[in-house]
Structures are given as structure tokens and as C-alpha cells.
Amino acid sequence: MGLTAQCPRPTPPPAGFSVAHTLTVPVTYSDSYQTFGSLLLPTVAVPQCGWPLVVYVHPLGGSRFDESALQLAIAEQGYAVWSYDVRGQGQAVVANPTHPNLASTLWGPAERHDLAEQVAHIANDSLWTNVIDTSRIGVIGTSQGGGHAWVAAAWSGDQLTTAGRTPIQFPTIACAVPRDLRSEE
């Protein structure tokens, strides 16, 4: 029997589950850069294996609050939805005025490492132990976030070694949904 069959999500009602929103969670990367995340969780009893995780990555110049209706719709269907401010964007700009790597490179090595550290943060936070299943992860993003979704699929399960950062295993990604981004013209 496969893992999916062992860990089913509860069937949502026609209008979806009600959802709780944790607006601001500070996250500090291994290079001391600080950013912020937000979490949406269904408010019904947690399934045996926890809620599958969907990481939402916002478009260039945006923030974790972009496309909040999309994020809410996903959570209402029985997923934990984590969104975060990409390096050099959202609230992270104000939090890192003197950091040597304060800007985004769209979806380069720093952002790839950041995404892996975001999932590690969620997996290692005792608040979400047995609530979020980080063995079932999807990444969805729009525009720049779509690039992050492609990168997540490409690096799924690989070891990351980025200059100035603690080496990390990129999480295994079960689903990647790049939106409004074409892989080629």
C-alpha cells in the first residue's frame, strides 16, 4: 500500500474547511538573512499523518500575501499552505537593510537554498509536529514564484551546497505548479 493510501486527507465539505491564518512567522536563514512566513491551516481535526504542505511563492516584487484568495482556496481543500517573503521582497526588505545578500536573484542558488530552508523551518518547528506532513510537499508559484516551482521540481531530493550557507538536502517535492511562467519562448 502506498504512502498516499495510508495518509488520506479528510474530504472537505462543499464550501471547504474553515481555515486559521498565522500571519507573521520570522524565519532566519543559515546566512543570517531574516524573512517572514505565513501559514494557513484547516481548523478541523488533523489527519493521522498531518496536512500535506503546499508552499506558495509570490511573483517578483510581491509578498507572501499575494494571491491570498488562491492560498485560501488551497487550504480550504485540506492542505497546510505556507507562504514567505522571497529574499529582497515583502517585509524582508525592511528586516535586512545592511545584509550583504539582501537582494533577490529571481531563482538562483540563494533562492533555491532559501526554499529548502523554509521547508526545514516548518519541519523542525515543534508547533507543527504532527500537524504538517513535510513528506508530502507541493510548490506553487506565479511568475518569479513559478520559477521557484520549476527549481523545486528540478532539485527535489538533491543536496544543496551554496557558498556562505549550511549544506542542506532539498526536500522531495511531490507536485510543482508553475503559473504564469513559460519555460521557453
Side-chain angles (χ1 to χ4, degrees):
M1 183 181 300
L3 181 62
T4 302
Q6 296 173 13
C7 299
R9 283 182 302 110
T11 302
F17 294 119
S18 62
V19 173
H21 196 175
T22 304
L23 289 175
T24 305
V25 178
V27 177
T28 303
Y29 296 136
S30 60
D31 66 353
S32 300
Y33 188 92
Q34 185 178 39
T35 191
F36 302 91
S38 294
L39 181 66
L40 292 166
L41 279 175
T43 58
V44 298
V46 176
Q48 180 180 353
C49 297
W51 299 108
L53 176 65
V54 174
V55 178
Y56 168 82
V57 187
H58 63 77
L60 180 64
S63 81
R64 67 189 185 276
F65 300 118
D66 286 0
E67 298 185 295
S68 56
L70 171 65
Q71 294 181 55
L72 180 61
I74 294 168
E76 289 172 339
Q77 294 305 304
Y79 295 90
V81 178
W82 176 258
S83 58
Y84 65 97
D85 291 332
V86 172
R87 184 177 292 261
Q89 299 168 59
Q91 283 184 298
V93 173
V94 177
N96 298 281
T98 60
H99 195 281
N101 299 320
L102 65 101
S104 172
T105 59
L106 296 181
W107 53 75
E111 289 75 21
R112 178 171 52 241
H113 211 101
D114 293 350
L115 178 54
E117 287 189 20
Q118 286 288 333
V119 174
H121 176 81
I122 297 161
N124 295 321
D125 191 316
S126 62
L127 288 175
W128 302 314
T129 302
N130 300 319
V131 175
I132 298 175
D133 181 358
T134 55
S135 71
R136 297 184 292 163
I137 304 170
V139 178
I140 184 171
T142 300
S143 188
Q144 173 187 0
H148 288 232
W150 280 116
V151 164
W155 284 87
S156 179
D158 286 352
Q159 183 70 22
L160 296 180
T161 305
T162 306
R165 306 289 288 271
T166 303
I168 190 169
Q169 179 94 18
F170 200 90
T172 300
I173 304 300
C175 179
V177 182
R179 301 175 70 236
D180 294 331
L181 177 80
R182 292 175 55 153
S183 61
E184 59 183 60
E185 287 295 318

